[in-house]
C-alpha cells in the first residue's frame, strides 16, 4: 500500500491545521501541497461523516503573522479560528536571513527570536486547539544539552517551557543528543533520522557507485555520531570507521575546546568511496579535516553528509576542498535555511524533506503509528537493490 493511502481506516484527530512560521514558509508550502494532493485522491467509506468534516481543503495552512513594534517587541496573531484543530507548527530557528527593525536599526533574527515567535503563536492559540505538535527540525539550543560546571541547560528548559504552554508533541530531526527528552518524560518527543533521503539523494546524482564493503565505507567524524554511522553501514551492508577527536581541554576557542588531532579507528579506506555522516556542518572545519585525513589514507571519492548545513563561516572552504579534490559532494537537507549560493554549487546535493514531514503529519493526524517512518531500513535496502540492479532512476 502506498504511503499516501496508509490511513484509510482511521478517523482524524481533529481538523488538520498547518502553521509554518515565516522562517519555515517555503518548506511548509511544499508539505501543504503533498497533504492536499493525498487527501484529494483518498476515498474513505465514511468521508461524509461528521468526523471527516473539513478533511479535504485547498490548503491546510492557517494564516498567522508576527508583527513588530518599533522597539523590536512583537505579538503573535492567528487570522482564523483554530478551535478543535490538530495543529502542527513548523519553525526554522537557524534562518538568519530574516530581519526586523529595532529603533531604525536592522537586526537579523537569531534562534532566540524564532523561538520567541513560536511561543507567541502558541500563546495566540490560547488553549483552543485539540492538540499542538511543534516541528522544530533543528532543535532549539540542542547543542547545549548537558551541564559542564556552572552552565545553563537551555534545551531542557525550552522543552519544558513548550510543554507547559500546551504543546503535546515535539518532533525534531537528528537531535544532537536525544537524551535531552528526559526533561519531558511524560510527553511525546521524536527525533527523526533522514538516512533514507540521504541515500536517495546520492543515488540520484551519482550513477557509478558500487555499494558493497569492498568499494564503499561509512565514517563517523567523531565518537558521538557513531550510532548514526553504524546504522547506515549495517543497512547498506558496508564497513564502518570513526575518528576520535583529540582536543586541547586547557583552552576554549569560540565556545569549545579546539581539536588537536583526528585519530582514525577502522579498516583500510584505500580506493573506497566514503560517506562521512554527521548531524550538522557548522563551520565545516571538522568535516574538511576528516576528509583530508581520509585522503591521506588514499580514499577515493568523499561525500560529506549532514542533516543540517549551517555553513556558519561561508562556503569558501568547501569550494577550495572540492577544487583540491578532498571532497566530492556535499549533501544536506532543506530543514534549515539554504542560501542561493549554496543551491547554485555544482557539488551540492539537496535532500528535500517535505514529503517525509507530510507523511509524519498525515499519519499523526490519523492517530496512527509512525514507527515505520522513523526506522526506514527496509526502504533503504529496496532503494539500494534497485540501484544495483541498474534502475538508476531512483524514486
Amino acid at each position: 500500500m502506498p504511503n499516501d493511502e496508509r490511513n484509510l481506516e482511521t478517523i482524524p484527530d481533529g481538523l488538520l491545521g498547518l502553521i509554518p512560521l515565516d522562517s519555515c514558509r517555503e518548506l511548509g508550502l511544499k508539505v501543504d501541497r503533498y497533504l492536499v494532493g493525498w487527501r484529494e485522491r483518498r476515498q474513505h467509506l465514511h468521508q461524509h461523516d461528521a468526523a471527516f468534516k473539513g478533511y479535504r481543503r485547498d490548503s491546510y495552512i492557517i494564516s498567522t503573522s508576527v508583527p513588530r513594534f518599533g522597539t523590536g517587541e512583537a505579538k503573535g496573531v492567528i487570522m482564523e479560528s483554530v478551535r478543535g484543530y490538530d495543529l502542527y507548527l513548523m519553525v526554522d530557528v537557524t534562518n538568519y536571513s530574516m530581519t526586523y527593525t529595532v529603533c531604525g536599526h536592522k537586526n537579523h533574527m537569531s534562534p532566540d527570536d524564532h523561538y520567541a515567535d513560536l511561543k507567541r503563536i502558541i500563546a495566540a492559540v490560547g488553549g483552543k486547539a485539540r492538540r499542538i505538535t511543534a516541528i522544530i527540525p533543528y532543535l532549539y539550543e540542542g547543542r547545549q544539552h548537558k551541564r559542564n560546571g556552572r552552565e545553563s541547560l537551555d534545551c531542557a528548559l525550552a522543552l519544558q517551557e513548550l510543554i507547559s504552554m500546551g504543546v503535546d508533541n515535539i518532533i525534531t530531526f537528528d537531535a544532537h543528543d536525544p537524551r535531552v527528552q528526559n526533561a519531558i518524560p511524560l510527553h511525546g518527543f521524536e527525533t527523526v533520522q533522514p538516512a533514507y533521503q540521504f541515500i536517495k539523494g546520492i543515488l540520484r546524482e551519482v550513477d557509478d557507485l558500487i555499494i558493497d564493503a569492498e568499494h564503499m565505507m561509512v565514517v563517523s567524524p567523531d565518537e558521538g555520531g557513531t550510532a548514526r554511522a553504524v546504522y547506515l553501514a549495517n543497512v547498506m551492508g558496508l564497513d564502518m570507521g570513526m575518528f576520535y577527536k583529540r582536543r586541547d581541554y586547557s583552552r576554549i576557542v569560540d565556545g569549545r575546546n579546539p581539536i588537536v588531532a583526528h585519530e582514525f579507528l577502522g579498516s583500510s579506506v584505500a580506493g573506497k568511496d566514503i560517506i562521512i555522516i554527521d548531524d550538522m556542518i557548522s563551520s565545516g572545519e571538522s568535516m574538511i579535516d576528516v576528509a583530508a585525513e581520509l585522503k591521506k589514507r588514499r580514499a577515493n571519492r568523499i561525500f560529506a553528509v549532514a542533516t543540517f548545513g549551517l555553513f556558519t563561516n561561508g562556503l569558501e572552504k568547501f569550494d577550495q576542498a572540492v577544487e583540491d579534490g578532498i571532497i566530492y559532494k556535499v549533501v544536506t537537507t532543506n530543514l534549515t535555511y539554504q542560501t542561493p549560493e549554496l543551491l547554485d554549487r555544482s557539488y551540492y546535493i539537496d535532500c528535500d524533506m517535505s514529503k517525509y514531514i507530510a507523511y509524519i503529519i498525515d499519519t499523526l493526524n490519523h492517530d496512527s503509528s509512525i514507527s515505520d517512518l522513523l526506522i526506514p531500513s527496509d526502504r533503504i535496502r529496496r532503494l539500494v537493490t534497485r540501484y544495483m540492479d541498474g534502475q538508476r532512476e531512483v524514486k
Side-chain angles (χ1 to χ4, degrees), residues 263-334:
E263 309 288 351
F264 182 67
L265 304 174
S267 59
S268 173
V269 301
K272 296 180 181 179
D273 292 325
I274 306 294
I275 295 177
I276 307 174
I277 186 166
D278 206 356
D279 61 336
M280 71 180 73
I281 296 175
S282 185
S283 67
E285 292 179 1
S286 178
M287 184 70 78
I288 293 173
D289 288 346
V290 166
E293 290 293 328
L294 290 169
K295 276 297 183 180
K296 291 178 183 177
R297 293 166 173 80
R298 297 183 293 117
N300 191 22
R301 294 174 294 185
I302 294 179
F303 297 83
V305 180
T307 304
F308 307 109
L310 305 178
F311 303 103
T312 55
N313 290 354
L315 298 171
E316 290 76 14
K317 290 183 179 179
F318 282 91
D319 294 341
Q320 190 64 49
V322 172
E323 185 178 336
D324 294 342
I326 296 173
I327 289 177
Y328 179 63
K329 295 286 185 181
V330 175
V331 186
T332 71
T333 71
N334 63 340

Side-chain angles (χ1 to χ4, degrees), residues 78-278:
I78 297 179
M79 308 300 186
E80 56 191 279
S81 173
V82 293
R83 186 178 294 275
Y85 272 70
D86 183 18
L87 293 180
Y88 295 82
L89 281 64
M90 299 173 61
V91 61
D92 174 14
V93 299
T94 68
N95 191 341
Y96 62 88
S97 69
M98 299 180 62
T99 60
Y100 63 95
T101 302
V102 180
C103 299
H105 300 279
K106 181 180 289 187
N107 264 15
H108 284 267
M109 291 188 69
S110 70
D112 293 339
D113 292 319
H114 289 298
Y115 175 63
D117 283 355
L118 172 65
K119 292 192 294 181
R120 290 180 176 111
I121 295 300
I122 295 171
V125 171
K128 303 300 190 299
R130 181 184 298 272
R131 184 172 62 181
I132 298 177
T133 299
I135 301 177
I136 312 173
Y138 180 92
L139 185 60
Y140 174 70
E141 293 291 358
R143 298 169 81 174
Q144 186 53 27
H145 59 281
K146 62 182 179 181
R147 174 174 284 156
N148 293 312
R150 299 181 182 90
E151 294 182 346
S152 57
L153 279 171
D154 297 56
C155 189
L157 286 172
L159 295 179
Q160 291 180 347
E161 187 175 23
L162 290 176
I163 294 302
S164 70
M165 293 184 70
V167 173
D168 298 279
N169 301 293
I170 296 171
I171 297 175
T172 189
F173 286 78
D174 211 347
H176 196 64
D177 188 342
R179 289 174 296 182
V180 74
Q181 67 185 289
N182 292 336
I184 50 169
L186 300 180
H187 292 81
F189 180 95
E190 300 292 349
T191 177
V192 186
Q193 296 289 337
Y196 175 77
Q197 285 73 20
F198 287 151
I199 301 307
K200 182 168 69 171
I202 293 172
L203 299 189
R204 275 181 169 171
E205 294 290 328
V206 184
D207 60 5
D208 61 348
L209 292 171
I210 301 176
I211 306 175
D212 60 36
E214 294 182 7
H215 299 88
M216 204 169 186
M217 190 173 183
V218 180
V219 171
S220 172
D222 54 40
E223 62 277 16
T226 303
R228 191 182 297 110
V230 167
Y231 172 78
L232 194 61
N234 286 341
V235 172
M236 298 181 69
L238 306 178
D239 198 1
M240 176 263 175
M242 65 162 282
F243 278 87
Y244 170 69
K245 292 179 180 177
R246 198 148 49 84
R247 295 181 180 272
D248 181 359
Y249 287 99
S250 65
R251 298 187 298 134
I252 296 179
V253 179
D254 293 333
R256 59 182 180 176
N257 302 107
I259 298 170
V260 176
H262 291 87
E263 309 288 351
F264 182 67
L265 304 174
S267 59
S268 173
V269 301
K272 296 180 181 179
D273 292 325
I274 306 294
I275 295 177
I276 307 174
I277 186 166
D278 206 356

